[in-house]
Amino acid sequence: MKPTFLELRHLRTLIALKTTGSVSQAAQLVYLTQSALSHQLKALEDQYGLPLFERKSNPLRFTAAGERLIQLAHDILPKVLEAERDLSRVRDGEAGQLRIAVECHTCFDWLMPAMDNFRQHWPLVELDIVSGFHTDTVGLLLTDRADWAIVSEVDETDGIIHKPLFSYEMVGLCAKDHPLAAKDVWDAEDFANETWITYPVPDDMLDLLRKVLKPAGINPERRTSELTIAIIQLVASKRGVAALPFWAAQPYLERGYVVARKITQKGLQSNLYCAFRESDAQRAYIEDFYETVKAQSFSTLPGLLVLEL
């Protein structure tokens, strides 16, 4: 029987391409150069004599042949991953604890589904979220009050490992009949005479302030709220404007409560990383939680970009 040309790496590449819709983004997701990924795809197409996707489509569209291999990947890769998890549990044990600390108010939108997914594969790992909003999540790791943290900046610390999660766009939000709704792109000056509604966090954690407003010498009047829905309600009532991750704003945009606009011509990008103790790096469930969070995020949140450390 002739050996199959198809390998697991090919299936992982196709899933990455389907998830990101971009050859360059898919290459980063599977840790290949863009040329290496393109070469891999061409070898697949040459092997079967069929194109797998339409080169000039935007967003990228798979052909019938490509979709068939995507279906195969969805069938096979979860079984391979489950077998690898089983081997890890035999080697490292099935039980443990994973206390998670977050420093972003919108993290729960994508963290909770990832936790639910993780529980199905590691039922004996006790998952918990460290209560409250934390500005020093790495400090919680160092004092053994948390095991896994989500951070927006990498601050090199002895004994702590950082790994990239994703990059995302922050968008400006205003009421549908607000004067700024007429502008497609907002600059720093557009915030000068507005009330900026934001979460009650330190200034150094506000990317809009650090990257856009402060360099322009602008510090608008502010109003704070702990809840995303409260921020949206205030914006819809023309009490001010806001800047939120696109994924957090999307449900309210779809309902027509508010409108979103780009912040600066190049867009305002923010990043998220995870952090954990170096001493925990060999725990299989720590690495698996990272992979689960990353995969869940890219499959469900719109507009994410691959982030490199």
Side-chain angles (χ1 to χ4, degrees), residues 98-100 102 107-108 110-122 125-130 148 150 289 292-293 296:
L98 191 53
R99 297 163 297 172
I100 304 162
V102 301
C107 287
F108 298 103
W110 49 267
L111 184 58
M112 298 305 290
M115 291 173 66
D116 288 341
N117 192 335
F118 178 82
R119 284 190 187 96
Q120 296 176 32
H121 304 293
W122 296 90
V125 173
E126 184 180 348
L127 274 180
D128 192 17
I129 293 180
V130 180
W148 205 89
I150 298 170
F289 187 67
T292 299
V293 166
Q296 180 79 27

Side-chain angles (χ1 to χ4, degrees), residues 214-234:
K214 196 171 183 179
I218 292 173
N219 189 10
E221 179 183 345
R222 285 187 239 175
R223 179 171 177 173
T224 63
S225 176
E226 289 275 1
L227 301 176
T228 301
I229 183 60
I231 291 176
I232 295 294
Q233 288 173 340
L234 289 169

Side-chain angles (χ1 to χ4, degrees), residues 42-102:
K42 186 177 186 305
L44 271 177
E45 292 179 324
D46 290 346
Q47 172 68 20
Y48 298 112
L50 293 167
L52 298 180
F53 61 94
E54 299 175 19
R55 254 59 180 184
K56 296 183 179 180
S57 59
N58 187 18
L60 185 145
R61 289 194 300 273
F62 281 84
T63 63
E67 289 291 354
R68 180 63 185 90
L69 291 182
I70 291 292
Q71 180 186 341
L72 178 65
H74 282 307
D75 290 341
I76 289 178
L77 290 179
K79 295 179 181 178
V80 172
L81 185 57
E82 185 59 34
E84 291 176 338
R85 287 188 179 115
D86 287 342
L87 295 176
S88 295
R89 285 193 284 263
V90 171
R91 183 191 64 204
D92 301 330
E94 299 187 33
Q97 70 173 352
L98 191 53
R99 297 163 297 172
I100 304 162
V102 301

